[in-house]
Amino acid sequence: MFALDAKTMQRIAPVVRRVLIVDPNPAAARLLSDLLKGFGSRDVAVEGDEARVIDLAREMEPGLILTERTGPRLDGEALARRIRRSSLACRRVPLIMVTAEATASSIKGARDSGVHEFLRKPFTSGDLFRRVENLATKPRDWVEAVGYIGPDRRRFNSDDYAGPGKRKADKPASAAEAVIAVKDQAMRILASAMTQFDTDPMQAVRAIKQQAETLKALAIKTGDASLAIAAAGLETSLTAGATTKAALAGPISAVLALASPESLSRAG
């Protein structure tokens, strides 16, 4: 175990203070627990049964969750999606998926289920620490859509991942490009939320609320009066109780009228 200085410990403290480990293997869970306590964790809970994880997470409100990918009563990807779609206070906390199966499909599955990091077994304390340090020092934008909920997949922080998220082109070259990227993504999610509304109304409304907030803040920041008015109108409709597809169609159309044709062509 390498030594951590006080500055490093302070930096990662908010992430590791309370940790939930989901692993049906007691020895593997104990190893993770011991390593995390060495990183400064004060409260570490272990659960091996997926059916009991949500209640434990609700009670504990962890700042970090580590889950094995598979087990006798565990599907780590399904669990990640359940957490992200839940009403838990900790639904957005960093998730690390741990597995010995570091195949391209398992890494992509972990990424698409909404986890932040992927940790391949066998691993060292340094491997685990690098994942935790990434979570503490390199926060990622949150994506609240219907088909996907979780951290921005374009910046998937896995040393085992060499896919699209590792391309230099995924990182905006300027502040102006970053603004355009955020606006385009929010517009695409709004359009997709309306398309998928009937399949998951609750999540569609949650996604719409998030995009309204994002676009309003972006409009105020950039001085885009038309977008600010349209986004504020959508927020007002939601606040007034407009949670049906029909009630939201007008306000969302007003916002989407300000989107670029290119961004809407990629909505789905």
Side-chain angles (χ1 to χ4, degrees):
M1 178 72 184
F2 55 89
L4 300 178
D5 58 39
K7 185 176 181 181
T8 300
M9 297 285 279
Q10 184 177 20
R11 190 166 61 239
I12 67 173
V15 175
V16 301
R17 187 172 292 115
R18 291 190 305 276
V19 182
L20 173 56
I21 297 172
V22 185
D23 195 326
N25 185 320
R30 191 178 308 113
L31 171 62
L32 279 171
S33 179
D34 290 344
L35 291 175
L36 288 162
K37 287 177 180 177
F39 296 164
S41 295
R42 299 176 184 174
D43 185 6
V44 180
V46 176
E47 179 54 67
D49 191 335
E50 180 184 340
R52 294 194 288 265
V53 171
I54 297 297
D55 287 340
L56 180 55
R58 181 176 291 108
E59 178 183 344
M60 183 185 187
E61 293 190 9
L64 171 64
I65 299 174
L66 297 97
T67 180
E68 171 61 55
R69 182 169 176 266
T70 59
R73 295 180 300 280
L74 172 64
D75 180 333
E77 292 178 12
L79 174 62
R81 287 190 289 269
R82 282 182 64 201
I83 290 171
R84 297 311 191 204
R85 291 178 178 276
S86 72
S87 58
L88 294 171
C90 63
R91 62 184 289 267
R92 294 191 179 193
V93 300
L95 267 163
I96 298 177
M97 185 162 288
V98 186
T99 182
E101 302 174 29
T103 63
S105 61
S106 64
I107 293 172
K108 183 178 184 298
R111 183 197 68 170
D112 292 346
S113 68
V115 307
H116 285 74
E117 298 275 354
F118 190 92
L119 182 62
R120 177 173 55 183
K121 295 177 179 178
F123 58 85
T124 66
S125 58
D127 294 330
L128 177 59
F129 175 74
R130 281 190 292 274
R131 302 303 194 278
V132 173
E133 187 177 36
N134 274 340
L135 298 174
T137 63
K138 300 175 183 177
R140 294 157 63 190
D141 293 335
W142 184 260
V143 177
E144 191 77 50
V146 179
Y148 174 77
I149 308 162
D152 192 335
R153 290 175 289 186
R154 292 173 300 176
R155 292 180 53 209
F156 186 59
N157 295 324
S158 172
D159 292 343
D160 300 305
Y161 182 67
K166 293 296 185 181
R167 297 177 300 181
K168 290 182 179 180
D170 286 327
K171 184 176 181 180
S174 67
E177 288 184 359
V179 167
I180 292 172
V182 171
K183 179 181 176 181
D184 283 355
Q185 177 170 266
M187 291 292 191
R188 289 198 303 273
I189 292 174
L190 271 182
S192 295
M194 288 302 283
T195 301
Q196 303 173 62
F197 199 99
D198 294 334
T199 63
D200 192 345
M202 185 185 305
Q203 182 56 37
V205 170
R206 187 152 62 178
I208 290 166
K209 286 180 179 178
Q210 180 65 57
Q211 306 326 306
E213 292 173 8
T214 297
L215 288 169
K216 180 181 174 183
L218 187 66
I220 292 172
K221 179 180 179 180
T222 59
D224 187 335
S226 296
L227 181 58
I229 292 170
L234 176 54
E235 275 195 324
T236 300
S237 297
L238 289 162
T239 303
T243 57
T244 65
K245 187 175 182 180
L248 290 169
I252 289 178
S253 293
V255 175
L256 294 180
L258 303 173
S260 67
E262 293 80 10
S263 65
L264 294 185
S265 69
R266 296 192 297 271

